[in-house]
Amino acid sequence: FMQLDFLGMISASCVDERLAVYSNHVLVTSLIPVAIAALIVLIWLGRLACVGRGTPEQDAARGEVTTQHASALLLLSYLVLPSTSMTQFRGLNCFPFESEHAYLRVDTSVWCDEESDEYSTLLETNIPLIILYQSIPFIWAALLISQRHRLNPGYKNEQAGRRKRDRDPRIAPLRFLFEDNRVDRWGYDVFDMWRRIIMVGIIPFARLQYRPIIGCGLAAFSVVVVQESQPYHDAATNALAVASQWQLCVTYFIAFALISGGLEATFELGVLLLVVNLTIVVTALFLGIKKNTERVLNEATIFKLRHALTLEKGVDKKKFDTAWGTLEHADPPAAVRVLAGAAELARRHTTKPVQGKHLKDVKALMAEAAEVESAFHAANRKLVLEAGGEFKQGPLKKIERVVEKMENDYDNDHTRVVDIVRDTGVFE
């Protein structure tokens, strides 16, 4: 929603009369961000030299420095690209006049033909800068696409996927482009930047009477995209994004009504437009806050359940310790043998238990579990009963719980889930 125009904040001719020439205005507006970017890179190189390399601590510090400066570069490009693109495209926007000459719309002292030295200079300056700046979204897209599997780890649980993504040091330098987005909407900022460039830079090329129609259509398309995709993980941000597109849509529609003669430009119409825009923003904020409140309440409920589970585990541990103490006191040699047997099992089986490699995904894992369930219960029942215990058959773990455990505890590795079919043996 933000953009930055260095020379747009003041009159260019107040700084230097030469900036009144539009080719110079384009050049300065375009090169100031380039100079700032070069300064960021130089400071980055200097900081890397100071940090050094070789130790894990130095490598971690270098990664943090790189992330900071990459974020600064991305933030700079995000802020200046729309306004600078608008300035550059204005240098190509000409309109015909009655004298059969075409004039630069933003500076009617410039003829748009080959005989104009000023216009030729403008083109020579402007076109390479346009190519440079319009390559930025393509660079963003290429960087994101190259890391798409890390940006979206493929988890079904959004929060688990976001935790995995945000902890990945390989994509930390790109964090500015995706940290507010859902894991499956990692490329939304590229789309949004192209939308902004079209709004401020491309639409002005259309004839005046067609601009509101094009703008309204693009805004309506953006409303659908944002509403249906919900690109941000924060509900309030999604609501504000939809509201901003509705504001553009309403504004362009009013402009169309004014140009077509359906409405007259009056003070009352201006007040009405202001009220409509404020209503849209307030409604969006209300809905966003409401959704966030519901999310916070759900998270609070989950936290309470997890806290209760932790307490229950503590109670179970005390019961186990008490029972073990009783057994150890009743028959010390037997307790020693049990501990020795457990130590021997740990020595023989040092690797973590995993499922077979032939199980390619969760569905295959669940299918095999269902297939062996009866035989598994029968074998355990025989073992427990022959040892004098009480057999209790456990239920088959549901696929939703398997996926949750896989994503939260096992880094999305389904072969680490080894307790899908389970039983209990109770011994007195």
Side-chain angles (χ1 to χ4, degrees):
F1 303 118
M2 297 176 62
Q3 63 184 42
L4 183 62
D5 183 359
F6 291 99
L7 290 185
M9 294 181 286
I10 55 175
S11 175
S13 59
C14 292
V15 179
D16 193 318
E17 290 184 359
R18 288 172 294 181
L19 292 180
V21 179
Y22 200 73
S23 58
N24 292 338
H25 181 81
V26 170
L27 187 63
V28 173
T29 301
S30 303
L31 292 185
I32 287 178
V34 174
I36 295 175
L39 181 62
I40 292 173
V41 171
L42 288 175
I43 295 174
W44 169 63
L45 293 174
R47 291 183 66 188
L48 287 184
C50 292
V51 169
R53 67 173 67 201
T55 67
E57 292 78 11
Q58 288 175 319
D59 292 341
R62 290 172 69 87
E64 182 62 27
V65 168
T66 299
T67 298
Q68 292 172 0
H69 286 263
S71 297
L73 286 172
L74 292 171
L75 174 61
L76 176 66
S77 64
Y78 181 86
L79 292 176
V80 304
L81 185 53
S83 58
T84 304
S85 296
M86 179 176 64
T87 301
Q88 293 169 347
F89 283 125
R90 281 175 174 175
L92 303 178
N93 192 356
C94 301
F95 71 101
F97 216 55
E98 294 179 357
S99 62
E100 296 183 356
H101 283 289
Y103 295 87
L104 194 64
R105 192 181 297 274
V106 74
D107 184 357
T108 54
S109 67
V110 179
W111 289 8
C112 297
D113 54 40
E114 296 179 355
E115 298 177 2
S116 172
D117 293 336
E118 190 172 343
Y119 186 64
S120 298
T121 302
L122 176 59
L123 290 180
E124 293 172 359
T125 303
N126 202 11
I127 291 178
L129 291 172
I130 289 176
I131 295 173
L132 171 65
Y133 271 81
Q134 297 315 305
S135 67
I136 291 175
F138 289 96
I139 294 172
W140 287 6
L143 290 172
L144 292 172
I145 290 172
S146 68
Q147 302 293 336
R148 60 190 181 278
H149 298 302
R150 293 178 179 273
L151 293 166
N152 184 8
Y155 292 10
K156 291 186 177 181
N157 182 276
E158 166 67 20
Q159 290 185 343
R162 210 160 62 237
R163 284 196 300 270
K164 171 70 173 176
R165 179 193 71 182
D166 294 344
R167 292 172 183 170
D168 192 335
R170 290 279 299 275
I171 56 176
L174 302 176
R175 188 171 295 152
F176 177 82
L177 293 177
F178 63 78
E179 63 181 341
D180 294 326
N181 299 347
R182 289 166 43 188
V183 292
D184 57 347
R185 302 289 185 264
W186 47 264
Y188 177 76
D189 273 14
V190 177
F191 163 79
D192 190 55
M193 180 54 68
W194 274 325
R195 179 193 63 79
R196 294 167 67 198
I197 291 173
I198 291 172
M199 282 286 190
V200 301
I202 305 301
I203 288 180
F205 281 93
R207 292 186 178 182
L208 187 61
Q209 62 269 30
Y210 298 140
R211 292 181 198 173
I213 300 174
I214 298 172
C216 191
L218 180 59
F221 173 74
S222 299
V223 167
V224 174
V225 170
V226 178
Q227 181 66 52
E228 294 301 316
S229 66
Q230 296 288 296
Y232 303 105
H233 58 74
D234 180 71
T237 306
N238 281 318
L240 286 174
V242 173
S244 68
Q245 303 311 311
W246 273 115
Q247 284 180 297
L248 288 172
C249 196
V250 170
T251 302
Y252 274 114
F253 180 78
I254 297 295
F256 171 72
L258 289 171
I259 289 177
S260 62
L263 290 174
E264 293 184 3
T266 62
F267 175 76
E268 290 78 8
L269 178 62
V271 173
L272 176 62
L273 188 58
L274 177 62
V275 170
V276 169
N277 279 284
L278 288 176
T279 302
I280 291 174
V281 172
V282 172
T283 303
L285 283 173
F286 171 77
L287 293 175
I289 292 172
K290 182 181 177 182
K291 290 181 180 179
N292 274 346
T293 302
E294 293 173 353
R295 178 175 57 83
V296 170
L297 290 175
N298 289 336
E299 290 177 354
T301 302
I302 294 172
F303 175 79
K304 290 179 180 178
L305 291 173
R306 287 177 176 171
H307 181 65
L309 180 60
T310 302
L311 294 177
E312 289 294 330
K313 287 182 177 179
V315 172
D316 290 343
K317 184 178 184 305
K318 288 182 180 179
K319 290 180 178 179
F320 177 84
D321 290 341
T322 302
W324 175 256
T326 302
L327 292 173
E328 189 175 28
H329 179 73
D331 192 349
V336 172
R337 289 197 301 272
V338 170
L339 291 176
E344 180 63 19
L345 283 173
R347 187 187 67 80
R348 292 183 182 183
H349 305 282
T350 57
T351 59
K352 295 178 180 179
V354 294
Q355 300 283 0
K357 294 182 178 180
H358 64 286
L359 301 173
K360 301 301 182 183
D361 52 28
V362 177
K363 290 183 178 180
L365 180 63
M366 296 302 297
E368 184 170 282
E371 182 181 343
V372 303
E373 182 181 15
S374 297
F376 182 89
H377 291 317
N380 280 340
R381 181 182 292 105
K382 183 175 183 297
L383 176 66
V384 172
L385 293 179
E386 288 181 354
E390 179 187 356
F391 175 78
K392 293 185 178 181
Q393 180 173 316
L396 190 71
K397 184 169 287 187
K398 294 182 178 180
I399 188 171
E400 293 81 7
R401 175 58 183 149
V402 171
V403 171
E404 180 183 0
K405 193 170 184 179
M406 174 184 78
E407 293 180 349
N408 291 331
D409 300 338
Y410 299 137
D411 198 23
N412 209 32
D413 184 0
H414 65 280
T415 63
R416 295 280 305 280
V417 186
V418 294
D419 60 342
I420 301 174
V421 186
R422 55 266 175 93
D423 295 315
T424 302
V426 181
F427 296 86
E428 297 294 339

